[in-house]
């Protein structure tokens, strides 16, 4: 049986939701950098901030050329970092 404090910790962690792309503890938690994921809301926010584009523009680029970062950057007219 779990203690009351264990239950509270579990409930708090469940309420936290997905990890924000702006609060990664270390670089191991970052999304894979060679693929652009627009299906996950947190990943979509991350890629929009990183590439400085709107969600609609990014999603359209991924639909057109796929999720490979270099292809998406080319489609958006951005230089590779």
């Amino acid at each position: 049986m779990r203690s009351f404090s264990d239950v509270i910790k579990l409930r708090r962690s469940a309420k936290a939701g997905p990890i924000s792309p702006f609060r990664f503890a270390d670089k191991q938690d970052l999304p894979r950098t060679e693929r652009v994921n627009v299906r996950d809301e947190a990943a979509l926010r991350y890629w929009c901030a990183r590439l400085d584009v709107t969600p609609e523009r990014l999603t359209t680029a991924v639909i057109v050329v796929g999720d490979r970062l270099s292809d998406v950057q080319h489609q958006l007219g951005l230089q590779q970092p």
Side-chain angles (χ1 to χ4, degrees), residues 43-59:
L44 179 62
R45 285 194 310 267
Y46 169 82
W47 287 113
C48 287
R50 179 169 170 193
L51 300 173
D52 194 27
V53 295
T54 64
E56 295 80 16
R57 189 168 172 219
L58 182 60
T59 303

Side-chain angles (χ1 to χ4, degrees), residues 39-75:
R39 294 182 183 196
D40 177 64
E41 186 178 331
L44 179 62
R45 285 194 310 267
Y46 169 82
W47 287 113
C48 287
R50 179 169 170 193
L51 300 173
D52 194 27
V53 295
T54 64
E56 295 80 16
R57 189 168 172 219
L58 182 60
T59 303
T60 302
V62 171
I63 290 170
V64 172
V65 298
D67 65 351
R68 191 176 195 194
L69 179 58
S70 59
D71 295 341
V72 171
Q73 288 175 317
H74 181 73
Q75 176 69 21

Side-chain angles (χ1 to χ4, degrees), residues 22-37:
F22 306 103
R23 294 185 291 134
F24 288 112
D26 57 43
K27 293 195 181 243
Q28 291 178 345
D29 294 332
L30 287 171
R32 290 178 38 204
T33 56
E34 68 274 2
R35 300 288 180 187
V36 179
N37 180 1

